[in-house]
Amino acid sequence: MTAPDRFGDLLRELAPQVLGVLLRRYGGFEECEEAVQDALLAAATRWPADGMPESPRSWLVTVASRRLVDQVRSERARRRREVAAAAREVPDADVAAAPGEENPGDRDDTLTLLFLCCHPALTPASQVALTLRAVGGLTTAEIAQAFLVPEATMAPRISRAKRRIKASGAPFARPDAREWTERLGAVLHVLYLIFNEGYAASSGPDLHRRELTAEAIRLARAVHRALPGDGEVAGLLALMLLTDARRAARVGPDGTFVPLAEQDRGRWDAAAVDEGTALVSQAMATSPLGPYQLQAAIAALHDRAPRVEDTDWEQIRVLYGILGRIAPNPMVTLNHAVAVAMTRGPRAGLDLLEPLDDDPRMARHHRLYAVRGHLQELAGDGEAARENYSRAARLTLSLPEQRYLRARAARLAPRPG
């Protein structure tokens, strides 16, 4: 890893911690976040030339505090605030420690910040964007690029999210017991969405967006460190590790998509498989069963099979059946149909897909037609499979998936003469 890469990884890790310090001291999400971004830019400029300070986090806290103090003083001068401005003015650039807190820079507020970014006042899309900016340390341009929208589109979305947080009056503090229970699910769902967009990009020329999968795994590890006994937190981290372990084998030398059944399993990350398997095994043995644990257990069954023909499809079918009962959704049904097809025959799998035709969420989703085409091909109905592969290719915005689906359709085209 090069020095710039090391600096970048460290700054990304420290960003939410520094933001947490400022939010606890001063409040004002948008102002604090802008001060932190200024400090990160200063570090990225100065550290490579001057060397890393002895305490990088304290350095960032001090610089960000100076920026924030300057903003407060400038605003005071402009608006001629008197009493209100004087009450919030900080006398020097260093952060004063709270009673009983020797060094405010030593406290890690990553989890608190995650919960704030996943406030119920925000839409899921805004929760994802704000999490990547405030907790992940990505720039607005990087987030816009990841989701293939102009920076001019993403910047207002993030600004609106900050304003909604401010308008909600939400304090920067660990949630109480009720909020914890309610909002942990949103936090995990946001991390799940970030990971999925990175692992299987919904649009664009690349199959993967490594910066998103890496960020989702890093943040899931942070939540797991804070909540080591929560089975669903462990399950989500395990699911990410077990899925990401296959990443290198999902793309051929020419950039084409390689489906699971055709992947070179020797290219899978064995260490990630072992870690993910251990996590989900421990979680299922000690915690109430939940959707992320079940998905991780299914991923582990795939990853632990030495060859595709060794896959325990019967156990996978059973687990998908349980998952469909406790957390039903169309994607679970699609995957359950594949498992049923592998154990009960393709016609049985196709029967499971029929109710999805009336689900408005799936009307224009390419995966329904891709899975139906796959099962029709297994059943020997090449013409119907070709039509569904072609329809799926027209619906997806992912260029690697388009190429793969068109190739499948072309392979089933009638041969002349």
Side-chain angles (χ1 to χ4, degrees):
M1 182 182 292
T2 64
D5 289 336
R6 286 196 299 273
F7 284 135
D9 289 345
L10 178 61
L11 291 175
R12 187 163 291 177
E13 179 181 347
L14 292 177
Q17 301 174 30
V18 177
L19 179 54
V21 172
L22 267 65
L23 284 170
R24 279 189 284 115
R25 291 293 171 264
Y26 314 121
F29 193 103
E30 190 161 12
E31 296 85 355
C32 289
E33 201 270 339
E34 289 176 358
V36 171
Q37 291 298 319
D38 286 344
L40 294 174
L41 180 60
T45 304
R46 293 172 54 179
W47 290 3
D50 301 343
M52 189 179 298
E54 183 177 348
S55 177
R57 180 161 55 181
S58 295
W59 189 98
L60 288 167
V61 168
T62 299
V63 173
S65 297
R66 284 199 186 109
R67 298 293 195 275
L68 191 57
V69 170
D70 289 344
Q71 290 175 21
V72 170
R73 287 173 173 160
S74 175
E75 186 73 4
R76 182 173 68 105
R78 187 175 72 83
R79 296 189 178 183
R80 297 184 178 278
R81 290 181 178 153
E82 295 178 357
V83 178
R88 292 185 59 83
E89 187 176 0
V90 182
D92 54 48
D94 294 325
V95 179
E101 185 178 11
E102 293 183 1
N103 186 348
D106 289 341
R107 177 169 163 182
D108 187 350
D109 291 295
T110 298
L111 188 61
T112 303
L113 188 55
L114 259 174
F115 273 80
L116 185 63
C117 290
C118 295
H119 192 280
L122 302 181
T123 65
S126 294
Q127 290 173 342
V128 169
L130 191 58
T131 297
L132 288 173
R133 172 66 187 245
V135 190
L138 274 66
T139 66
T140 302
E142 288 172 328
I143 301 168
Q145 183 178 20
F147 289 94
L148 297 180
V149 298
E151 185 175 355
T153 299
M154 183 57 69
R157 180 183 300 174
I158 294 174
S159 294
R160 284 193 299 269
K162 295 175 186 175
R163 289 196 295 271
R164 283 178 183 166
I165 291 287
K166 183 177 182 179
S168 74
F172 186 72
R174 288 285 183 105
D176 60 28
R178 179 185 58 80
E179 291 174 324
W180 188 280
T181 301
E182 291 175 351
R183 216 180 297 175
L184 179 60
V187 169
L188 299 184
H189 183 60
V190 163
L191 297 184
Y192 181 69
L193 291 176
I194 293 171
F195 178 84
N196 283 345
E197 181 60 30
Y199 187 73
S202 58
S203 59
D206 300 317
L207 190 63
H208 303 128
R209 290 176 185 148
R210 176 61 181 143
E211 73 280 7
L212 293 183
T213 55
E215 193 55 32
I217 291 172
R218 184 183 75 82
L219 295 177
R221 286 191 186 280
V223 179
H224 181 57
R225 283 195 300 271
L227 302 170
D230 190 291
E232 279 296 83
V233 173
L236 177 60
L237 177 57
L239 175 62
M240 290 179 180
L241 292 169
L242 290 161
T243 305
D244 194 56
R246 311 180 203 130
R247 175 169 40 85
R250 290 183 76 227
V251 182
D254 57 352
T256 56
F257 168 64
V258 181
L260 180 62
E262 300 173 20
Q263 289 174 17
D264 177 1
R265 298 180 177 222
R267 298 184 65 197
W268 289 359
D269 185 338
V273 171
D274 289 343
E275 183 183 0
T277 301
L279 275 169
V280 69
S281 299
Q282 174 70 14
M284 295 182 78
T286 58
S287 306
L289 193 60
Y292 292 120
Q293 294 171 61
L294 284 167
Q295 291 177 75
I298 292 166
L301 287 170
H302 282 296
D303 288 9
R304 302 297 288 185
R307 303 172 302 165
V308 64
E309 53 265 35
D310 298 324
T311 304
D312 188 348
W313 281 107
E314 180 60 27
Q315 182 67 10
I316 291 173
R317 182 190 68 79
V318 170
L319 291 175
Y320 270 124
I322 298 171
L323 181 60
R325 287 195 295 272
I326 69 173
N329 70 64
M331 291 304 168
V332 171
T333 302
L334 284 177
N335 290 317
H336 189 198
V338 173
V340 167
M342 299 302 292
T343 55
R344 303 289 190 266
R347 291 297 174 188
L350 285 166
D351 289 343
L352 278 184
L353 296 182
E354 288 187 5
L356 296 182
D357 290 331
D358 299 322
D359 190 325
R361 294 171 294 180
M362 301 302 293
R364 294 191 57 78
H365 201 297
H366 75 282
R367 281 212 62 206
L368 172 59
Y369 305 102
V371 170
R372 178 170 279 139
H374 173 60
L375 299 189
Q376 288 168 334
E377 184 178 1
L378 291 177
D381 190 348
E383 178 60 26
R386 183 170 66 86
E387 291 177 3
N388 276 294
Y389 282 141
S390 297
R391 186 171 185 179
R394 291 193 298 271
L395 290 174
T396 183
L397 299 177
S398 166
L399 297 183
E401 287 192 338
Q402 282 180 11
R403 290 192 291 268
Y404 170 76
L405 290 164
R406 286 170 181 158
R408 299 285 297 211
R411 191 176 62 184
L412 296 172
R415 296 180 182 238

